[in-house]
Amino acid sequence: MPDHSALDARYFIDDHVYNCPFCNRRNVAYYVTNWFTFHWTATKKCMVVFVRCESCKYISMHLTYSVLGFELVMRRDKDSIFHFKDLKQGQPIDELFFYSVPTSFFVINEHVPKILRELVTEAEGCLKSNFLTGASACIRKVIYELAIHQHASGGNYDERLKSLKDTHPEVESAFFDTLLTIQEMTSAKVHEQSYDGWSSSHVRVILAALEQILNELYVVPQMRAEQRQAILKMKEELQTKPKRETTQEK
């Protein structure tokens, strides 16, 4: 059986279904609600495309320098529903867009503290535009704020990361090790001076590790607590349920 797991990392699967960044549903129907073009520069135009999830109804925004075509599928109440048309055979739709909002493929879970969510989202936005200095600055800030929130000890990034690793053995150590191997992240020098050698690949790896750490620290425990409460509630309902008659009248 062929492996199609790579499709899970895309926004768009094809011209009819995508992976929604809001409700986190995969392979869900979507449609284009609107689009328009504007001048990115005096000689270069850009197209903005708005896409709505059929499940949660939230709308995402996508920017492209390509000239895309659309076809009317149906009219629903006051809305007109469109799909992409005249796409090149086999070309992933994601490759047509250079920027999307949300910039993160999946919106970061609300159980992650707001300041951390916003910084990660900003770092991803910088990466999307290849603003690597801005992305790396946001990443350093994420680690700084995470250390404060988790009461990590240490006087620099290296010590704080090691403290987080030691106090959270439930988190895969490789995620913390990934951050520790990036020497620029632990440098005490001025950030711009320690920037040499950074690339978009470095930033992607660091962001992936950070998002896994945040998920393990804030999302997984909450999910376990909710599952525990659900099971306890079911158990309580079972115990308080009236017993069925086991004897018959003579």
Side-chain angles (χ1 to χ4, degrees), residues 4-250:
H4 296 297
S5 59
L7 297 177
D8 291 340
R10 295 182 184 176
Y11 249 108
F12 300 98
I13 304 301
D14 56 33
D15 56 347
H16 287 79
V17 295
Y18 82 148
N19 297 314
C20 180
F22 293 103
C23 62
N24 291 352
R25 289 190 60 186
R26 300 181 185 276
N27 209 43
V28 65
Y30 75 89
Y31 57 88
V32 175
T33 63
N34 201 359
W35 67 90
F36 64 88
T37 60
F38 66 95
H39 284 89
W40 188 267
T41 67
T43 58
K44 190 173 187 178
K45 288 187 177 181
C46 179
M47 177 177 282
V48 183
V49 180
F50 296 96
V51 171
R52 176 177 289 168
C53 174
E54 276 280 58
S55 176
C56 67
K57 309 303 181 185
Y58 278 77
I59 297 175
S60 57
M61 182 187 76
H62 309 268
L63 302 182
T64 178
Y65 293 130
S66 302
V67 178
L68 303 180
F70 307 91
E71 60 181 344
L72 179 64
V73 179
M74 68 175 72
R75 298 188 186 278
R76 180 186 300 167
D77 297 327
K78 297 180 180 180
D79 293 333
S80 296
I81 298 175
F82 299 87
H83 282 159
F84 294 109
K85 74 171 184 178
D86 300 329
L87 297 174
K88 291 183 179 180
Q89 185 68 29
Q91 181 184 24
I93 298 178
D94 281 26
E95 293 182 358
L96 297 173
F97 297 100
F98 67 88
Y99 190 78
S100 297
V101 178
T103 54
S104 175
F105 172 61
F106 286 120
V107 176
I108 300 176
N109 194 285
E110 63 181 6
H111 293 307
V112 176
K114 182 179 179 181
I115 188 171
L116 302 181
R117 297 200 311 268
E118 292 178 344
L119 286 168
V120 170
T121 299
E122 185 174 349
E124 290 174 331
C126 290
L127 175 60
K128 228 14 172 167
S129 300
N130 206 38
F131 298 152
L132 302 184
T133 302
S136 55
C138 290
I139 289 172
R140 288 169 62 92
K141 183 65 173 175
V142 172
I143 295 177
Y144 176 79
E145 295 292 344
L146 176 62
I148 292 176
H149 198 270
Q150 290 290 322
H151 307 291
S153 59
N156 55 49
Y157 286 103
D158 187 68
E159 292 175 354
R160 291 167 187 164
L161 283 171
K162 289 179 179 178
S163 173
L164 287 171
K165 179 180 177 180
D166 293 339
T167 55
H168 292 285
E170 75 278 9
V171 178
E172 174 59 52
S173 61
F175 299 145
F176 291 113
D177 292 340
T178 297
L179 304 187
L180 288 168
T181 58
I182 308 298
Q183 295 302 315
E184 289 86 356
M185 290 293 296
T186 62
S187 174
K189 295 184 294 181
V190 176
H191 178 64
E192 286 74 15
Q193 294 176 343
S194 63
Y195 181 74
D196 293 343
W198 277 71
S199 69
S200 58
S201 297
H202 286 122
V203 178
R204 287 191 182 92
V205 171
I206 298 169
L207 278 173
L210 268 176
E211 289 176 357
Q212 287 298 324
I213 290 171
L214 295 177
N215 184 68
E216 292 286 344
L217 292 181
Y218 298 103
V219 182
V220 173
Q222 183 63 31
M223 290 177 60
R224 288 174 177 167
E226 292 173 354
Q227 292 171 349
R228 179 176 180 275
Q229 289 299 319
I231 293 174
L232 290 177
K233 184 177 180 180
M234 291 170 60
K235 181 179 179 181
E236 182 180 350
E237 291 175 349
L238 183 63
Q239 292 175 338
T240 58
K241 201 171 186 180
K243 294 183 179 180
R244 298 177 60 183
E245 294 291 338
T246 58
T247 60
Q248 297 180 351
E249 295 183 1
K250 295 182 179 180

